[in-house]
Amino acid sequence: MTGWIKVALVAAGLLISSPAAQAQEPVDVTLVLAVDVSRSMSPRELSIQREGYAAALNHPDVIRAIGQGAYGRIAVTMFEWAGNSSIRTVFDWTVVETAADADALSAAVRNSSPVGLRRTSISGAILHALKLLDAAPFDGFRKVIDISGDGPNNQGQPVEEAREVALARRVVINGLPLMTSDGFDGGFNIPDLDVYYGDCVIGGPGSFLVPVTSWDQFPEAIRRKLILEIGGLPDIEGKVMPAQAAPTQFLQPSSKTSDCMIGEKIWQQRQWMFDDP
């Protein structure tokens, strides 16, 4: 039932609206931005990533996409993640309806100071995002987790299990695999991260990923990704969009298949290099 139909029925006395339901402001999308800050990313990469999100959040094209929705507003929250216990909120749930709203979020991102942290728990990031969606004081027509990362899951619950929990709740997971790294723990990355994300991370109706193979692609990639998430997509589940492609150009995933436990296996082989139990 759409928001305007609910309002009409409540006004006519045909539907009882509880206080809890009244507190749920309708929005087109409740969007969780989950941003990787694992130590495999260098300070330079963290800075580029931060600036890319800041520039995308208040870009005129993104604001225009928000205005074209049925409600003309979205709710968004953002957190940084690495290992299971390494999660930091950048900004809490915020409605974005105007350019001023978007400017405030952009400033919040620019004022943050990301620090590279140990391990990579994509599953932990997904499960944390689900908690945020459950607690959101908004009724999103679509619920989306936008997760970036430059390596496979190597800590916590297996990533496929976390994804299944999200899909059971009708939450869409989109991916931004970062396929370039010069950080400290780059030895834990894999060459086919886009295939891994396609096989093991993303899911739900219209889910997609935008691989980034060079950091100069990042600002455009995140901007386009936000526009597609805000505007919605046709049913193209499982297809892959490269960062340099036009929004309507999609590629079928590679015929390769990924071992969704590859990150855990790499960690087991190399954990002797670190002081981490």
Side-chain angles (χ1 to χ4, degrees):
M1 186 183 300
T2 62
W4 69 267
I5 293 177
K6 288 181 180 178
V7 171
L9 291 177
V10 170
L14 300 176
L15 182 67
I16 297 174
S17 179
S18 67
Q22 290 176 344
Q24 293 255 323
E25 180 180 352
V27 293
D28 293 302
V29 186
T30 43
L31 174 63
V32 181
L33 301 176
V35 182
D36 182 10
V37 293
S38 58
R39 197 176 294 178
S40 53
M41 296 181 67
S42 70
R44 170 180 169 272
E45 290 174 325
L46 291 173
S47 177
I48 293 172
Q49 180 172 250
R50 178 183 60 194
E51 180 59 31
Y53 274 100
L57 282 166
N58 68 345
H59 192 278
D61 291 345
V62 172
I63 296 169
R64 189 176 303 113
I66 293 171
Q68 291 173 347
Y71 295 107
R73 58 183 177 268
I74 67 169
V76 59
T77 184
M78 183 178 190
F79 69 89
E80 296 170 342
W81 63 275
N84 251 343
S85 59
S86 303
I87 289 177
R88 185 178 77 92
T89 300
V90 178
F91 57 80
D92 205 348
W93 284 111
T94 305
V95 170
V96 182
E97 189 170 10
T98 68
D101 297 334
D103 287 343
L105 289 191
S106 180
V109 174
R110 284 197 170 94
N111 290 333
S112 66
S113 300
V115 177
L117 300 170
R118 296 182 66 178
R119 305 296 294 269
T120 300
S121 182
I122 300 173
S123 59
I126 292 172
L127 295 175
H128 182 72
L130 289 175
K131 291 179 182 178
L132 295 177
L133 286 168
D134 287 344
F138 305 100
D139 181 12
F141 180 71
R142 289 180 291 115
K143 297 176 174 60
V144 179
I145 299 171
D146 175 330
I147 188 160
S148 71
D150 73 341
N153 193 76
N154 63 32
Q155 188 187 46
Q157 188 171 333
V159 67
E160 285 183 296
E161 293 181 7
R163 177 176 65 180
E164 288 307 310
V165 174
L167 299 188
R169 299 186 190 183
R170 303 182 66 81
V171 174
V172 173
I173 305 173
N174 296 325
L176 190 75
L178 308 174
M179 301 175 65
T180 177
S181 176
D182 57 3
F184 175 67
D185 289 344
F188 290 89
N189 295 343
I190 57 175
D192 297 324
L193 186 64
D194 53 346
V195 180
Y196 174 89
Y197 260 68
D199 289 343
C200 309
V201 179
I202 69 170
S207 60
F208 66 98
L209 60 87
V210 183
V212 175
T213 58
S214 171
W215 278 103
D216 59 7
Q217 297 174 347
F218 186 83
E220 180 185 356
I222 189 61
R223 182 171 67 248
R224 180 175 293 133
K225 190 165 184 286
L226 285 176
I227 291 169
L228 292 171
E229 286 168 333
I230 292 165
L233 288 168
D235 189 7
I236 52 165
E237 185 170 358
K239 296 187 179 181
V240 177
M241 185 185 73
Q244 66 272 19
T248 54
Q249 293 177 317
F250 296 91
L251 302 179
Q252 290 290 349
S254 166
S255 59
K256 296 179 181 179
T257 55
S258 292
D259 177 357
C260 293
M261 296 294 292
I262 185 63
E264 288 84 351
K265 292 175 181 177
I266 293 174
W267 178 261
Q268 288 172 2
Q269 292 172 353
R270 302 185 183 182
Q271 63 178 330
W272 59 270
M273 300 166 59
F274 301 92
D275 234 354
D276 191 65

